[in-house]
Amino acid sequence: MTRALILSLAIAASPAAALETQNGAVTVSSVVTGLDQPWAVAPLPDGSLLVTERDGALLRVVDGKARQVRGAPQVVAAGQGGLLDITVARDFATSRTIFLTYAKKQGRGSGTALAAAELSADGTRLEGLRDLFVSAPGGETGRHFGSRVVEGRDGTLFVTIGDRGDRPSAQDRALHNGSVVRVNRDGTVPRDNPFVGQDGVLPEIWSYGHRNPQGAGLDARGTLWTSEHGARGGDEVNQIKKGANFGWPLISYGVHYSGAKIGFGSSKSGMEQPAHYWDPSIAPSGLMVYQGDMFPQWKGDMFVGSLKFSYISRLDVSGSSVREVEQIESDDTLRVRDIVEDTDGSILFISVGAGAVYRISR
């Protein structure tokens, strides 16, 4: 039996289940099961979903059935690398454009790359695949690709990149490691990027000093937020600011895995403080600021998936102040990799542990 046929038979088998939250009961139902290391999910206007699997497969899910979409980029599926994030362009209804991030082969190693393509009218293949950005210089480790892509309100694209396991490189602006980069939709550098024209600084860099930001999303004002893996303790939520230094590896609220102190401790002049941090670490991945109408009591709240403790963290956001107010947990929240808002205001999340996409709804 072919994998495509097997996937087409992977219809959500588990019944919908009630889940109690601080704001009353919600329903958790499976959308598709039988996935292999799913990494990201993106809803399409027609009600179908696109899902990436780390080994390189791009899937389109319709009525609980997943079919492989041809034409995805060739990826280096090693360590934490592979086919990673996916974002549907805001003007998809007219452009059919989607954005993908992936680990691209670079010499003996790989680096985080951003690609764009158009989804065919029948949803079976990508057309016109092209790289918009490839991080420099890449690396031979399989760690810390970051790799969320977010479309800003002005149409520019933000991409998160980890330090690739090379801690000092996050402070070296001659490299893309440990940064959030910003490019135009055609891959060119926006003229208002903070370091354009500065010698020895890569012009795509928007902010730097990040360890491994695996979650990113916009709030209602268009502000970019990230969730980032710390070392031992010190996982962070950060409100991203133009040109800012977020301190890694010079400051952190965590410690090295050996127990040794990190850099200068928790603060240093000229470096940003996190809006929130977790100790112990939760291994955050996937961030969404809810803006829908299905759950009005959650509007403006931030949701972050935990890979380590298998729950969804709900955080209250008041300006630049963020605090965790609830941990949403069930048998389905096993290693939550991604969390997004669907077009109807329901919430989709990926459980790597279950190999499934689930929906939270009324």
Side-chain angles (χ1 to χ4, degrees):
M1 184 180 292
T2 67
R3 184 168 187 270
L5 180 56
I6 291 171
L7 284 168
S8 74
L9 297 176
I11 302 173
S14 61
L19 173 63
E20 288 296 329
T21 74
Q22 289 181 1
N23 295 109
V26 299
T27 296
V28 180
S29 55
S30 57
V31 178
V32 64
T33 61
L35 303 176
D36 180 17
Q37 292 295 312
W39 212 91
V41 56
L44 291 169
D46 64 2
S48 64
L49 305 176
L50 294 174
V51 179
T52 61
E53 292 183 326
R54 199 177 55 78
D55 66 0
L58 174 62
L59 310 174
R60 181 166 175 253
V61 179
V62 182
D63 297 330
K65 299 180 182 180
R67 293 280 187 180
Q68 193 157 340
V69 178
R70 302 190 303 275
Q74 294 294 312
V75 307
V76 177
Q80 297 169 3
L83 184 58
L84 302 173
D85 203 18
I86 184 166
T87 292
V88 174
R90 198 173 291 115
D91 66 355
F92 177 85
T94 55
S95 72
R96 307 287 298 178
T97 300
I98 64 167
F99 306 108
L100 297 160
T101 63
Y102 69 102
K104 181 182 178 69
K105 183 173 176 57
Q106 293 177 311
R108 293 186 297 176
S110 59
T112 301
L114 167 68
E118 283 65 55
L119 182 66
S120 64
D122 62 2
T124 63
R125 64 189 184 281
L126 296 183
E127 300 172 337
L129 181 71
R130 65 270 183 197
D131 285 336
L132 303 181
F133 165 82
V134 180
S135 62
E140 295 185 25
T141 73
R143 300 194 300 275
H144 300 180
F145 289 86
S147 215
R148 292 294 172 188
V149 53
V150 176
E151 183 181 9
R153 288 296 173 84
D154 60 359
T156 59
L157 300 171
F158 294 99
V159 180
T160 68
I161 303 172
D163 68 3
R164 301 305 314 284
D166 178 12
R167 293 193 293 267
S169 68
Q171 291 292 319
D172 185 351
R173 289 175 293 165
L175 310 174
H176 289 122
N177 294 13
S179 69
V180 174
V181 303
R182 176 176 178 253
V183 297
N184 290 317
R185 191 155 156 165
D186 61 0
T188 59
V189 176
R191 289 180 293 178
D192 61 342
N193 270 12
F195 304 116
V196 169
Q198 293 191 24
D199 291 341
V201 182
L202 292 174
E204 297 89 356
I205 294 175
W206 183 258
S207 64
Y208 63 106
H210 302 279
R211 185 174 183 268
N212 191 25
Q214 281 198 348
L218 299 181
D219 64 18
R221 299 171 299 169
T223 302
L224 181 67
W225 297 83
T226 61
S227 56
E228 311 192 15
H229 289 251
R232 200 173 85 189
D235 289 350
E236 298 179 351
V237 170
N238 283 307
Q239 183 180 9
I240 300 304
K241 301 174 183 177
K242 179 179 180 177
N245 181 353
F246 286 84
W248 178 257
L250 302 179
I251 60 171
S252 173
Y253 280 89
V255 297
H256 290 300
Y257 294 117
S258 66
K261 177 182 174 182
I262 292 174
F264 297 95
S266 60
S267 65
K268 189 176 189 301
S269 177
M271 298 182 179
E272 299 294 322
Q273 285 288 296
H276 177 80
Y277 72 92
W278 287 275
D279 188 7
S281 296
I282 70 165
S285 184
L287 178 152
M288 175 267 291
V289 181
Y290 186 74
Q291 300 172 44
D293 295 323
M294 185 174 289
F295 303 104
Q297 68 275 27
W298 286 346
K299 187 165 287 191
D301 286 356
M302 182 181 296
F303 292 78
V304 176
S306 168
L307 291 165
K308 182 177 180 180
F309 293 123
S310 295
Y311 64 78
I312 297 169
S313 173
R314 182 170 71 86
L315 303 107
D316 176 77
V317 182
S318 300
S320 59
S321 174
V322 177
R323 65 185 182 92
E324 185 177 83
V325 293
E326 184 175 13
Q327 296 175 358
I328 299 171
E329 185 175 5
S330 76
D331 292 340
D332 302 316
T333 58
L334 302 176
R335 290 181 54 80
V336 177
R337 172 66 74 183
D338 196 16
I339 183 164
V340 302
E341 183 181 319
D342 203 348
T343 54
D344 63 356
S346 61
I347 296 171
L348 299 166
F349 69 90
I350 283 178
S351 166
V352 180
V357 177
Y358 292 96
R359 182 185 306 278
I360 298 174
S361 61
R362 284 296 182 196

